[in-house]
Amino acid sequence: MDKSVADLANAVAPIGDGASVMIGGFGSSGIPFGLIDALLETGVAGLTVISNNAGAGETGIAKLLKAGMVAKVICSYPRSPGSVWFERRYEAGEIELEVVPQGTLAERIRAAGAGLGGFLTPTAYGTLLAEGKETRIIDGRGYVLEAPLHADFALLRAERGDKWGNLSFHATARNFNPVMASAAKRTIAEVRYLSDEPLDPEAVVTPGIFVQSVVEYGVRP
């Protein structure tokens, strides 16, 4: 029942070459910077990264891109301000990109966690993003069938956690983190505070059943 891990390096040790990894966060809020830095040190390659954006500057996901560890990015905003490393890798043909509208990305992840077979959405109907996908007309409106999006691992950032893996989040840092926890085979969370006592059940956002490893990392950028 004790899911606490001694340090960041041990937390990311199960991640190997070719893994698909969801990384929580929106902008710079709720990004597991500690786990990303620890993953960088492993030197694994061929990763598929699933996130809201493709990083910016020299921090977070951008570090993995700079190091050439990422083979594919699935995201909504590959070109956010300062996303120089994604642009360089993509222009050089070194990385594959799958663009997913933001609401569709969140729902595809949620559908995976809920065990759904997919969902119909009007978003992207009649555009290039719908090419190759099943479409339907319902009450005169076009819809695209979107598949659930699973991952081997999810890296999350939470404000508080306990050794049973229960998590609570700080304000907008909640963003993609909870849905990603439910959609991955193995969820790894870094928390600012790790408690030996159970969190107040009324404060728990992500139940420990969705979390396999939790590690304390007090830094909050």
Side-chain angles (χ1 to χ4, degrees), residues 132-173:
K133 298 178 182 179
E134 182 180 340
T135 60
R136 297 184 188 178
I137 303 296
I138 302 175
D139 293 333
R141 191 177 189 186
Y143 291 82
V144 180
L145 179 62
E146 294 284 358
L149 184 57
H150 300 265
D152 298 317
F153 298 90
L155 304 183
L156 314 181
R157 171 71 181 182
E159 179 72 358
R160 295 181 181 275
D162 60 32
K163 65 181 182 179
W164 294 273
N166 299 304
L167 306 175
S168 63
F169 300 87
H170 176 74
T172 56

PDB file of all heavy atoms in Angstrom, residues 132-173:
ATOM      1  N   GLY A 132      -9.144  10.583 -42.532  1.00  0.00           N
ATOM      2  CA  GLY A 132      -8.876   9.214 -42.119  1.00  0.00           C
ATOM      3  C   GLY A 132      -9.686   8.745 -40.929  1.00  0.00           C
ATOM      4  O   GLY A 132      -9.566   7.588 -40.511  1.00  0.00           O
ATOM      5  N   LYS A 133     -10.526   9.624 -40.376  1.00  0.00           N
ATOM      6  CA  LYS A 133     -11.348   9.251 -39.221  1.00  0.00           C
ATOM      7  C   LYS A 133     -12.797   9.072 -39.647  1.00  0.00           C
ATOM      8  O   LYS A 133     -13.266   9.675 -40.620  1.00  0.00           O
ATOM      9  CB  LYS A 133     -11.261  10.335 -38.139  1.00  0.00           C
ATOM     10  CG  LYS A 133      -9.861  10.535 -37.585  1.00  0.00           C
ATOM     11  CD  LYS A 133      -9.822  11.656 -36.552  1.00  0.00           C
ATOM     12  CE  LYS A 133      -8.406  11.865 -36.040  1.00  0.00           C
ATOM     13  NZ  LYS A 133      -8.336  12.980 -35.052  1.00  0.00           N
ATOM     14  N   GLU A 134     -13.513   8.246 -38.899  1.00  0.00           N
ATOM     15  CA  GLU A 134     -14.930   8.038 -39.174  1.00  0.00           C
ATOM     16  C   GLU A 134     -15.717   9.299 -38.845  1.00  0.00           C
ATOM     17  O   GLU A 134     -15.465   9.941 -37.810  1.00  0.00           O
ATOM     18  CB  GLU A 134     -15.450   6.869 -38.345  1.00  0.00           C
ATOM     19  CG  GLU A 134     -16.908   6.533 -38.603  1.00  0.00           C
ATOM     20  CD  GLU A 134     -17.394   5.362 -37.774  1.00  0.00           C
ATOM     21  OE1 GLU A 134     -16.539   4.575 -37.296  1.00  0.00           O
ATOM     22  OE2 GLU A 134     -18.624   5.226 -37.602  1.00  0.00           O
ATOM     23  N   THR A 135     -16.644   9.661 -39.705  1.00  0.00           N
ATOM     24  CA  THR A 135     -17.497  10.824 -39.462  1.00  0.00           C
ATOM     25  C   THR A 135     -18.959  10.426 -39.579  1.00  0.00           C
ATOM     26  O   THR A 135     -19.299   9.454 -40.261  1.00  0.00           O
ATOM     27  CB  THR A 135     -17.194  11.967 -40.438  1.00  0.00           C
ATOM     28  OG1 THR A 135     -17.419  11.511 -41.782  1.00  0.00           O
ATOM     29  CG2 THR A 135     -15.755  12.449 -40.290  1.00  0.00           C
ATOM     30  N   ARG A 136     -19.813  11.207 -38.928  1.00  0.00           N
ATOM     31  CA  ARG A 136     -21.251  10.952 -38.984  1.00  0.00           C
ATOM     32  C   ARG A 136     -22.005  12.278 -39.012  1.00  0.00           C
ATOM     33  O   ARG A 136     -21.507  13.294 -38.511  1.00  0.00           O
ATOM     34  CB  ARG A 136     -21.716  10.138 -37.774  1.00  0.00           C
ATOM     35  CG  ARG A 136     -21.113   8.746 -37.668  1.00  0.00           C
ATOM     36  CD  ARG A 136     -21.688   7.972 -36.506  1.00  0.00           C
ATOM     37  NE  ARG A 136     -20.978   6.724 -36.301  1.00  0.00           N
ATOM     38  CZ  ARG A 136     -21.253   5.857 -35.309  1.00  0.00           C
ATOM     39  NH1 ARG A 136     -22.216   6.143 -34.455  1.00  0.00           N
ATOM     40  NH2 ARG A 136     -20.560   4.746 -35.188  1.00  0.00           N
ATOM     41  N   ILE A 137     -23.195  12.236 -39.580  1.00  0.00           N
ATOM     42  CA  ILE A 137     -24.102  13.377 -39.545  1.00  0.00           C
ATOM     43  C   ILE A 137     -25.225  13.040 -38.580  1.00  0.00           C
ATOM     44  O   ILE A 137     -25.923  12.030 -38.744  1.00  0.00           O
ATOM     45  CB  ILE A 137     -24.683  13.696 -40.931  1.00  0.00           C
ATOM     46  CG1 ILE A 137     -23.557  13.950 -41.945  1.00  0.00           C
ATOM     47  CG2 ILE A 137     -25.615  14.905 -40.848  1.00  0.00           C
ATOM     48  CD1 ILE A 137     -22.710  15.162 -41.636  1.00  0.00           C
ATOM     49  N   ILE A 138     -25.390  13.854 -37.545  1.00  0.00           N
ATOM     50  CA  ILE A 138     -26.437  13.648 -36.546  1.00  0.00           C
ATOM     51  C   ILE A 138     -27.260  14.927 -36.460  1.00  0.00           C
ATOM     52  O   ILE A 138     -26.711  15.998 -36.150  1.00  0.00           O
ATOM     53  CB  ILE A 138     -25.836  13.294 -35.167  1.00  0.00           C
ATOM     54  CG1 ILE A 138     -24.966  12.032 -35.269  1.00  0.00           C
ATOM     55  CG2 ILE A 138     -26.939  13.105 -34.128  1.00  0.00           C
ATOM     56  CD1 ILE A 138     -24.236  11.676 -33.987  1.00  0.00           C
ATOM     57  N   ASP A 139     -28.548  14.817 -36.749  1.00  0.00           N
ATOM     58  CA  ASP A 139     -29.436  15.982 -36.740  1.00  0.00           C
ATOM     59  C   ASP A 139     -28.888  17.122 -37.598  1.00  0.00           C
ATOM     60  O   ASP A 139     -28.957  18.294 -37.217  1.00  0.00           O
ATOM     61  CB  ASP A 139     -29.689  16.473 -35.312  1.00  0.00           C
ATOM     62  CG  ASP A 139     -30.484  15.474 -34.488  1.00  0.00           C
ATOM     63  OD1 ASP A 139     -31.262  14.697 -35.097  1.00  0.00           O
ATOM     64  OD2 ASP A 139     -30.334  15.452 -33.251  1.00  0.00           O
ATOM     65  N   GLY A 140     -28.295  16.741 -38.722  1.00  0.00           N
ATOM     66  CA  GLY A 140     -27.807  17.732 -39.659  1.00  0.00           C
ATOM     67  C   GLY A 140     -26.447  18.321 -39.335  1.00  0.00           C
ATOM     68  O   GLY A 140     -25.966  19.206 -40.058  1.00  0.00           O
ATOM     69  N   ARG A 141     -25.797  17.835 -38.287  1.00  0.00           N
ATOM     70  CA  ARG A 141     -24.488  18.363 -37.899  1.00  0.00           C
ATOM     71  C   ARG A 141     -23.421  17.287 -38.018  1.00  0.00           C
ATOM     72  O   ARG A 141     -23.666  16.119 -37.680  1.00  0.00           O
ATOM     73  CB  ARG A 141     -24.530  18.889 -36.461  1.00  0.00           C
ATOM     74  CG  ARG A 141     -23.300  19.694 -36.068  1.00  0.00           C
ATOM     75  CD  ARG A 141     -23.431  20.243 -34.656  1.00  0.00           C
ATOM     76  NE  ARG A 141     -22.357  21.191 -34.348  1.00  0.00           N
ATOM     77  CZ  ARG A 141     -22.156  21.729 -33.147  1.00  0.00           C
ATOM     78  NH1 ARG A 141     -22.974  21.448 -32.145  1.00  0.00           N
ATOM     79  NH2 ARG A 141     -21.161  22.585 -32.953  1.00  0.00           N
ATOM     80  N   GLY A 142     -22.244  17.666 -38.524  1.00  0.00           N
ATOM     81  CA  GLY A 142     -21.169  16.707 -38.722  1.00  0.00           C
ATOM     82  C   GLY A 142     -20.365  16.459 -37.458  1.00  0.00           C
ATOM     83  O   GLY A 142     -20.070  17.383 -36.699  1.00  0.00           O
ATOM     84  N   TYR A 143     -20.002  15.194 -37.250  1.00  0.00           N
ATOM     85  CA  TYR A 143     -19.211  14.804 -36.078  1.00  0.00           C
ATOM     86  C   TYR A 143     -18.052  13.907 -36.494  1.00  0.00           C
ATOM     87  O   TYR A 143     -18.137  13.183 -37.489  1.00  0.00           O
ATOM     88  CB  TYR A 143     -20.073  14.053 -35.059  1.00  0.00           C
ATOM     89  CG  TYR A 143     -21.113  14.907 -34.369  1.00  0.00           C
ATOM     90  CD1 TYR A 143     -22.335  15.182 -34.984  1.00  0.00           C
ATOM     91  CD2 TYR A 143     -20.874  15.448 -33.109  1.00  0.00           C
ATOM     92  CE1 TYR A 143     -23.288  15.964 -34.356  1.00  0.00           C
ATOM     93  CE2 TYR A 143     -21.826  16.233 -32.477  1.00  0.00           C
ATOM     94  CZ  TYR A 143     -23.026  16.489 -33.101  1.00  0.00           C
ATOM     95  OH  TYR A 143     -23.965  17.265 -32.474  1.00  0.00           O
ATOM     96  N   VAL A 144     -16.993  13.950 -35.702  1.00  0.00           N
ATOM     97  CA  VAL A 144     -15.814  13.108 -35.914  1.00  0.00           C
ATOM     98  C   VAL A 144     -15.718  12.115 -34.759  1.00  0.00           C
ATOM     99  O   VAL A 144     -15.884  12.493 -33.590  1.00  0.00           O
ATOM    100  CB  VAL A 144     -14.521  13.952 -35.957  1.00  0.00           C
ATOM    101  CG1 VAL A 144     -13.302  13.061 -36.184  1.00  0.00           C
ATOM    102  CG2 VAL A 144     -14.619  15.016 -37.033  1.00  0.00           C
ATOM    103  N   LEU A 145     -15.469  10.852 -35.083  1.00  0.00           N
ATOM    104  CA  LEU A 145     -15.269   9.842 -34.048  1.00  0.00           C
ATOM    105  C   LEU A 145     -13.809   9.872 -33.609  1.00  0.00           C
ATOM    106  O   LEU A 145     -12.905   9.617 -34.399  1.00  0.00           O
ATOM    107  CB  LEU A 145     -15.635   8.450 -34.567  1.00  0.00           C
ATOM    108  CG  LEU A 145     -15.451   7.297 -33.577  1.00  0.00           C
ATOM    109  CD1 LEU A 145     -16.362   7.476 -32.358  1.00  0.00           C
ATOM    110  CD2 LEU A 145     -15.723   5.954 -34.255  1.00  0.00           C
ATOM    111  N   GLU A 146     -13.579  10.181 -32.335  1.00  0.00           N
ATOM    112  CA  GLU A 146     -12.230  10.257 -31.780  1.00  0.00           C
ATOM    113  C   GLU A 146     -11.979   9.074 -30.850  1.00  0.00           C
ATOM    114  O   GLU A 146     -12.854   8.677 -30.068  1.00  0.00           O
ATOM    115  CB  GLU A 146     -12.040  11.559 -31.001  1.00  0.00           C
ATOM    116  CG  GLU A 146     -12.093  12.812 -31.868  1.00  0.00           C
ATOM    117  CD  GLU A 146     -10.827  13.037 -32.679  1.00  0.00           C
ATOM    118  OE1 GLU A 146      -9.879  12.231 -32.534  1.00  0.00           O
ATOM    119  OE2 GLU A 146     -10.781  14.005 -33.453  1.00  0.00           O
ATOM    120  N   ALA A 147     -10.786   8.506 -30.931  1.00  0.00           N
ATOM    121  CA  ALA A 147     -10.426   7.327 -30.139  1.00  0.00           C
ATOM    122  C   ALA A 147      -9.877   7.731 -28.778  1.00  0.00           C
ATOM    123  O   ALA A 147      -9.306   8.816 -28.617  1.00  0.00           O
ATOM    124  CB  ALA A 147      -9.386   6.504 -30.887  1.00  0.00           C
ATOM    125  N   PRO A 148     -10.009   6.861 -27.779  1.00  0.00           N
ATOM    126  CA  PRO A 148      -9.388   7.140 -26.476  1.00  0.00           C
ATOM    127  C   PRO A 148      -7.875   7.169 -26.603  1.00  0.00           C
ATOM    128  O   PRO A 148      -7.303   6.520 -27.489  1.00  0.00           O
ATOM    129  CB  PRO A 148      -9.867   5.980 -25.598  1.00  0.00           C
ATOM    130  CG  PRO A 148     -10.244   4.900 -26.559  1.00  0.00           C
ATOM    131  CD  PRO A 148     -10.732   5.589 -27.793  1.00  0.00           C
ATOM    132  N   LEU A 149      -7.236   7.919 -25.735  1.00  0.00           N
ATOM    133  CA  LEU A 149      -5.781   8.077 -25.782  1.00  0.00           C
ATOM    134  C   LEU A 149      -5.163   7.547 -24.493  1.00  0.00           C
ATOM    135  O   LEU A 149      -5.335   8.123 -23.419  1.00  0.00           O
ATOM    136  CB  LEU A 149      -5.433   9.552 -25.974  1.00  0.00           C
ATOM    137  CG  LEU A 149      -3.965   9.917 -26.151  1.00  0.00           C
ATOM    138  CD1 LEU A 149      -3.346   9.178 -27.332  1.00  0.00           C
ATOM    139  CD2 LEU A 149      -3.809  11.431 -26.323  1.00  0.00           C
ATOM    140  N   HIS A 150      -4.449   6.439 -24.619  1.00  0.00           N
ATOM    141  CA  HIS A 150      -3.800   5.794 -23.482  1.00  0.00           C
ATOM    142  C   HIS A 150      -2.300   6.105 -23.487  1.00  0.00           C
ATOM    143  O   HIS A 150      -1.762   6.596 -24.478  1.00  0.00           O
ATOM    144  CB  HIS A 150      -3.974   4.275 -23.549  1.00  0.00           C
ATOM    145  CG  HIS A 150      -5.393   3.811 -23.531  1.00  0.00           C
ATOM    146  ND1 HIS A 150      -6.037   3.438 -22.374  1.00  0.00           N
ATOM    147  CD2 HIS A 150      -6.296   3.643 -24.542  1.00  0.00           C
ATOM    148  CE1 HIS A 150      -7.281   3.064 -22.661  1.00  0.00           C
ATOM    149  NE2 HIS A 150      -7.459   3.185 -23.974  1.00  0.00           N
ATOM    150  N   ALA A 151      -1.622   5.789 -22.392  1.00  0.00           N
ATOM    151  CA  ALA A 151      -0.164   5.931 -22.329  1.00  0.00           C
ATOM    152  C   ALA A 151       0.411   4.874 -21.396  1.00  0.00           C
ATOM    153  O   ALA A 151      -0.286   4.336 -20.528  1.00  0.00           O
ATOM    154  CB  ALA A 151       0.224   7.318 -21.843  1.00  0.00           C
ATOM    155  N   ASP A 152       1.689   4.593 -21.591  1.00  0.00           N
ATOM    156  CA  ASP A 152       2.385   3.669 -20.687  1.00  0.00           C
ATOM    157  C   ASP A 152       2.593   4.311 -19.318  1.00  0.00           C
ATOM    158  O   ASP A 152       2.450   3.651 -18.286  1.00  0.00           O
ATOM    159  CB  ASP A 152       3.743   3.269 -21.278  1.00  0.00           C
ATOM    160  CG  ASP A 152       3.608   2.544 -22.602  1.00  0.00           C
ATOM    161  OD1 ASP A 152       2.720   1.671 -22.715  1.00  0.00           O
ATOM    162  OD2 ASP A 152       4.386   2.857 -23.523  1.00  0.00           O
ATOM    163  N   PHE A 153       2.939   5.604 -19.328  1.00  0.00           N
ATOM    164  CA  PHE A 153       3.246   6.313 -18.086  1.00  0.00           C
ATOM    165  C   PHE A 153       2.587   7.687 -18.080  1.00  0.00           C
ATOM    166  O   PHE A 153       2.343   8.269 -19.143  1.00  0.00           O
ATOM    167  CB  PHE A 153       4.763   6.504 -17.916  1.00  0.00           C
ATOM    168  CG  PHE A 153       5.539   5.222 -17.820  1.00  0.00           C
ATOM    169  CD1 PHE A 153       6.041   4.606 -18.959  1.00  0.00           C
ATOM    170  CD2 PHE A 153       5.771   4.628 -16.585  1.00  0.00           C
ATOM    171  CE1 PHE A 153       6.750   3.425 -18.877  1.00  0.00           C
ATOM    172  CE2 PHE A 153       6.479   3.443 -16.492  1.00  0.00           C
ATOM    173  CZ  PHE A 153       6.971   2.842 -17.626  1.00  0.00           C
ATOM    174  N   ALA A 154       2.332   8.202 -16.890  1.00  0.00           N
ATOM    175  CA  ALA A 154       1.922   9.593 -16.723  1.00  0.00           C
ATOM    176  C   ALA A 154       2.801  10.218 -15.653  1.00  0.00           C
ATOM    177  O   ALA A 154       3.003   9.624 -14.581  1.00  0.00           O
ATOM    178  CB  ALA A 154       0.455   9.695 -16.312  1.00  0.00           C
ATOM    179  N   LEU A 155       3.356  11.375 -15.947  1.00  0.00           N
ATOM    180  CA  LEU A 155       4.154  12.136 -14.982  1.00  0.00           C
ATOM    181  C   LEU A 155       3.338  13.340 -14.547  1.00  0.00           C
ATOM    182  O   LEU A 155       2.944  14.158 -15.384  1.00  0.00           O
ATOM    183  CB  LEU A 155       5.479  12.587 -15.605  1.00  0.00           C
ATOM    184  CG  LEU A 155       6.379  11.489 -16.191  1.00  0.00           C
ATOM    185  CD1 LEU A 155       7.683  12.099 -16.689  1.00  0.00           C
ATOM    186  CD2 LEU A 155       6.657  10.404 -15.163  1.00  0.00           C
ATOM    187  N   LEU A 156       3.085  13.464 -13.248  1.00  0.00           N
ATOM    188  CA  LEU A 156       2.199  14.489 -12.727  1.00  0.00           C
ATOM    189  C   LEU A 156       2.878  15.349 -11.681  1.00  0.00           C
ATOM    190  O   LEU A 156       3.855  14.942 -11.053  1.00  0.00           O
ATOM    191  CB  LEU A 156       0.957  13.854 -12.082  1.00  0.00           C
ATOM    192  CG  LEU A 156       0.224  12.750 -12.832  1.00  0.00           C
ATOM    193  CD1 LEU A 156      -0.971  12.292 -12.019  1.00  0.00           C
ATOM    194  CD2 LEU A 156      -0.188  13.223 -14.215  1.00  0.00           C
ATOM    195  N   ARG A 157       2.296  16.532 -11.464  1.00  0.00           N
ATOM    196  CA  ARG A 157       2.730  17.420 -10.384  1.00  0.00           C
ATOM    197  C   ARG A 157       1.516  17.715  -9.514  1.00  0.00           C
ATOM    198  O   ARG A 157       0.479  18.166 -10.016  1.00  0.00           O
ATOM    199  CB  ARG A 157       3.292  18.726 -10.940  1.00  0.00           C
ATOM    200  CG  ARG A 157       3.574  19.805  -9.885  1.00  0.00           C
ATOM    201  CD  ARG A 157       4.752  19.459  -9.013  1.00  0.00           C
ATOM    202  NE  ARG A 157       4.987  20.495  -7.993  1.00  0.00           N
ATOM    203  CZ  ARG A 157       5.984  20.469  -7.116  1.00  0.00           C
ATOM    204  NH1 ARG A 157       6.840  19.467  -7.141  1.00  0.00           N
ATOM    205  NH2 ARG A 157       6.139  21.429  -6.231  1.00  0.00           N
ATOM    206  N   ALA A 158       1.615  17.441  -8.218  1.00  0.00           N
ATOM    207  CA  ALA A 158       0.536  17.731  -7.284  1.00  0.00           C
ATOM    208  C   ALA A 158       1.082  18.533  -6.108  1.00  0.00           C
ATOM    209  O   ALA A 158       2.290  18.533  -5.833  1.00  0.00           O
ATOM    210  CB  ALA A 158      -0.114  16.447  -6.793  1.00  0.00           C
ATOM    211  N   GLU A 159       0.202  19.219  -5.422  1.00  0.00           N
ATOM    212  CA  GLU A 159       0.608  20.000  -4.255  1.00  0.00           C
ATOM    213  C   GLU A 159       0.838  19.098  -3.047  1.00  0.00           C
ATOM    214  O   GLU A 159       1.842  19.209  -2.360  1.00  0.00           O
ATOM    215  CB  GLU A 159      -0.467  21.047  -3.930  1.00  0.00           C
ATOM    216  CG  GLU A 159      -0.165  21.907  -2.723  1.00  0.00           C
ATOM    217  CD  GLU A 159       0.940  22.929  -2.952  1.00  0.00           C
ATOM    218  OE1 GLU A 159       1.520  22.960  -4.056  1.00  0.00           O
ATOM    219  OE2 GLU A 159       1.223  23.693  -2.018  1.00  0.00           O
ATOM    220  N   ARG A 160      -0.097  18.200  -2.802  1.00  0.00           N
ATOM    221  CA  ARG A 160       0.008  17.305  -1.654  1.00  0.00           C
ATOM    222  C   ARG A 160      -0.312  15.873  -2.060  1.00  0.00           C
ATOM    223  O   ARG A 160      -1.127  15.626  -2.954  1.00  0.00           O
ATOM    224  CB  ARG A 160      -0.953  17.735  -0.537  1.00  0.00           C
ATOM    225  CG  ARG A 160      -0.619  19.086   0.056  1.00  0.00           C
ATOM    226  CD  ARG A 160      -1.574  19.473   1.186  1.00  0.00           C
ATOM    227  NE  ARG A 160      -1.247  20.785   1.710  1.00  0.00           N
ATOM    228  CZ  ARG A 160      -0.333  21.013   2.656  1.00  0.00           C
ATOM    229  NH1 ARG A 160       0.317  19.985   3.186  1.00  0.00           N
ATOM    230  NH2 ARG A 160      -0.073  22.234   3.064  1.00  0.00           N
ATOM    231  N   GLY A 161       0.339  14.945  -1.384  1.00  0.00           N
ATOM    232  CA  GLY A 161       0.058  13.537  -1.594  1.00  0.00           C
ATOM    233  C   GLY A 161       0.303  12.781  -0.315  1.00  0.00           C
ATOM    234  O   GLY A 161       0.929  13.297   0.623  1.00  0.00           O
ATOM    235  N   ASP A 162      -0.207  11.565  -0.236  1.00  0.00           N
ATOM    236  CA  ASP A 162       0.112  10.702   0.901  1.00  0.00           C
ATOM    237  C   ASP A 162       0.710   9.404   0.380  1.00  0.00           C
ATOM    238  O   ASP A 162       0.765   9.171  -0.832  1.00  0.00           O
ATOM    239  CB  ASP A 162      -1.117  10.469   1.793  1.00  0.00           C
ATOM    240  CG  ASP A 162      -2.285   9.804   1.061  1.00  0.00           C
ATOM    241  OD1 ASP A 162      -2.032   9.001   0.142  1.00  0.00           O
ATOM    242  OD2 ASP A 162      -3.445  10.097   1.414  1.00  0.00           O
ATOM    243  N   LYS A 163       1.177   8.570   1.285  1.00  0.00           N
ATOM    244  CA  LYS A 163       1.904   7.370   0.854  1.00  0.00           C
ATOM    245  C   LYS A 163       0.999   6.343   0.177  1.00  0.00           C
ATOM    246  O   LYS A 163       1.472   5.377  -0.405  1.00  0.00           O
ATOM    247  CB  LYS A 163       2.630   6.742   2.030  1.00  0.00           C
ATOM    248  CG  LYS A 163       1.734   6.205   3.127  1.00  0.00           C
ATOM    249  CD  LYS A 163       2.591   5.618   4.254  1.00  0.00           C
ATOM    250  CE  LYS A 163       1.724   5.019   5.349  1.00  0.00           C
ATOM    251  NZ  LYS A 163       2.562   4.434   6.435  1.00  0.00           N
ATOM    252  N   TRP A 164      -0.315   6.567   0.240  1.00  0.00           N
ATOM    253  CA  TRP A 164      -1.253   5.697  -0.468  1.00  0.00           C
ATOM    254  C   TRP A 164      -1.488   6.169  -1.906  1.00  0.00           C
ATOM    255  O   TRP A 164      -2.234   5.548  -2.652  1.00  0.00           O
ATOM    256  CB  TRP A 164      -2.576   5.634   0.289  1.00  0.00           C
ATOM    257  CG  TRP A 164      -2.431   4.957   1.623  1.00  0.00           C
ATOM    258  CD1 TRP A 164      -2.518   3.613   1.882  1.00  0.00           C
ATOM    259  CD2 TRP A 164      -2.126   5.593   2.860  1.00  0.00           C
ATOM    260  NE1 TRP A 164      -2.298   3.382   3.215  1.00  0.00           N
ATOM    261  CE2 TRP A 164      -2.048   4.582   3.857  1.00  0.00           C
ATOM    262  CE3 TRP A 164      -1.913   6.918   3.256  1.00  0.00           C
ATOM    263  CZ2 TRP A 164      -1.770   4.855   5.188  1.00  0.00           C
ATOM    264  CZ3 TRP A 164      -1.637   7.190   4.588  1.00  0.00           C
ATOM    265  CH2 TRP A 164      -1.569   6.171   5.533  1.00  0.00           C
ATOM    266  N   GLY A 165      -0.888   7.310  -2.283  1.00  0.00           N
ATOM    267  CA  GLY A 165      -0.999   7.816  -3.644  1.00  0.00           C
ATOM    268  C   GLY A 165      -2.117   8.799  -3.885  1.00  0.00           C
ATOM    269  O   GLY A 165      -2.307   9.250  -5.018  1.00  0.00           O
ATOM    270  N   ASN A 166      -2.873   9.155  -2.849  1.00  0.00           N
ATOM    271  CA  ASN A 166      -3.927  10.153  -3.010  1.00  0.00           C
ATOM    272  C   ASN A 166      -3.310  11.529  -3.246  1.00  0.00           C
ATOM    273  O   ASN A 166      -2.301  11.878  -2.617  1.00  0.00           O
ATOM    274  CB  ASN A 166      -4.810  10.192  -1.763  1.00  0.00           C
ATOM    275  CG  ASN A 166      -5.481   8.871  -1.502  1.00  0.00           C
ATOM    276  OD1 ASN A 166      -6.186   8.349  -2.355  1.00  0.00           O
ATOM    277  ND2 ASN A 166      -5.253   8.308  -0.320  1.00  0.00           N
ATOM    278  N   LEU A 167      -3.920  12.324  -4.138  1.00  0.00           N
ATOM    279  CA  LEU A 167      -3.334  13.600  -4.534  1.00  0.00           C
ATOM    280  C   LEU A 167      -4.338  14.739  -4.448  1.00  0.00           C
ATOM    281  O   LEU A 167      -5.525  14.560  -4.718  1.00  0.00           O
ATOM    282  CB  LEU A 167      -2.813  13.528  -5.976  1.00  0.00           C
ATOM    283  CG  LEU A 167      -1.841  12.410  -6.346  1.00  0.00           C
ATOM    284  CD1 LEU A 167      -1.555  12.456  -7.848  1.00  0.00           C
ATOM    285  CD2 LEU A 167      -0.555  12.504  -5.539  1.00  0.00           C
ATOM    286  N   SER A 168      -3.834  15.924  -4.104  1.00  0.00           N
ATOM    287  CA  SER A 168      -4.596  17.165  -4.242  1.00  0.00           C
ATOM    288  C   SER A 168      -3.704  18.169  -4.949  1.00  0.00           C
ATOM    289  O   SER A 168      -2.473  18.074  -4.897  1.00  0.00           O
ATOM    290  CB  SER A 168      -5.048  17.708  -2.882  1.00  0.00           C
ATOM    291  OG  SER A 168      -3.940  18.057  -2.078  1.00  0.00           O
ATOM    292  N   PHE A 169      -4.325  19.146  -5.617  1.00  0.00           N
ATOM    293  CA  PHE A 169      -3.590  20.044  -6.499  1.00  0.00           C
ATOM    294  C   PHE A 169      -3.740  21.499  -6.072  1.00  0.00           C
ATOM    295  O   PHE A 169      -4.700  21.868  -5.401  1.00  0.00           O
ATOM    296  CB  PHE A 169      -4.073  19.868  -7.941  1.00  0.00           C
ATOM    297  CG  PHE A 169      -3.879  18.479  -8.459  1.00  0.00           C
ATOM    298  CD1 PHE A 169      -4.847  17.505  -8.259  1.00  0.00           C
ATOM    299  CD2 PHE A 169      -2.725  18.117  -9.120  1.00  0.00           C
ATOM    300  CE1 PHE A 169      -4.680  16.213  -8.718  1.00  0.00           C
ATOM    301  CE2 PHE A 169      -2.529  16.821  -9.589  1.00  0.00           C
ATOM    302  CZ  PHE A 169      -3.517  15.866  -9.384  1.00  0.00           C
ATOM    303  N   HIS A 170      -2.780  22.312  -6.491  1.00  0.00           N
ATOM    304  CA  HIS A 170      -2.798  23.741  -6.182  1.00  0.00           C
ATOM    305  C   HIS A 170      -3.447  24.510  -7.324  1.00  0.00           C
ATOM    306  O   HIS A 170      -2.882  24.642  -8.410  1.00  0.00           O
ATOM    307  CB  HIS A 170      -1.376  24.244  -5.955  1.00  0.00           C
ATOM    308  CG  HIS A 170      -1.298  25.727  -5.716  1.00  0.00           C
ATOM    309  ND1 HIS A 170      -1.681  26.311  -4.538  1.00  0.00           N
ATOM    310  CD2 HIS A 170      -0.897  26.738  -6.521  1.00  0.00           C
ATOM    311  CE1 HIS A 170      -1.513  27.613  -4.614  1.00  0.00           C
ATOM    312  NE2 HIS A 170      -1.045  27.899  -5.816  1.00  0.00           N
ATOM    313  N   ALA A 171      -4.669  24.996  -7.092  1.00  0.00           N
ATOM    314  CA  ALA A 171      -5.352  25.889  -8.025  1.00  0.00           C
ATOM    315  C   ALA A 171      -5.303  25.354  -9.463  1.00  0.00           C
ATOM    316  O   ALA A 171      -5.648  24.200  -9.720  1.00  0.00           O
ATOM    317  CB  ALA A 171      -4.759  27.292  -7.922  1.00  0.00           C
ATOM    318  N   THR A 172      -4.840  26.199 -10.405  1.00  0.00           N
ATOM    319  CA  THR A 172      -4.872  25.807 -11.821  1.00  0.00           C
ATOM    320  C   THR A 172      -3.842  24.739 -12.181  1.00  0.00           C
ATOM    321  O   THR A 172      -3.854  24.239 -13.316  1.00  0.00           O
ATOM    322  CB  THR A 172      -4.641  27.032 -12.725  1.00  0.00           C
ATOM    323  OG1 THR A 172      -3.411  27.657 -12.374  1.00  0.00           O
ATOM    324  CG2 THR A 172      -5.781  28.020 -12.584  1.00  0.00           C
ATOM    325  N   ALA A 173      -2.985  24.362 -11.259  1.00  0.00           N
ATOM    326  CA  ALA A 173      -2.052  23.265 -11.515  1.00  0.00           C
ATOM    327  C   ALA A 173      -2.785  21.931 -11.643  1.00  0.00           C
ATOM    328  O   ALA A 173      -2.203  20.926 -12.050  1.00  0.00           O
ATOM    329  CB  ALA A 173      -1.010  23.176 -10.398  1.00  0.00           C
TER     330      ALA A 173
END
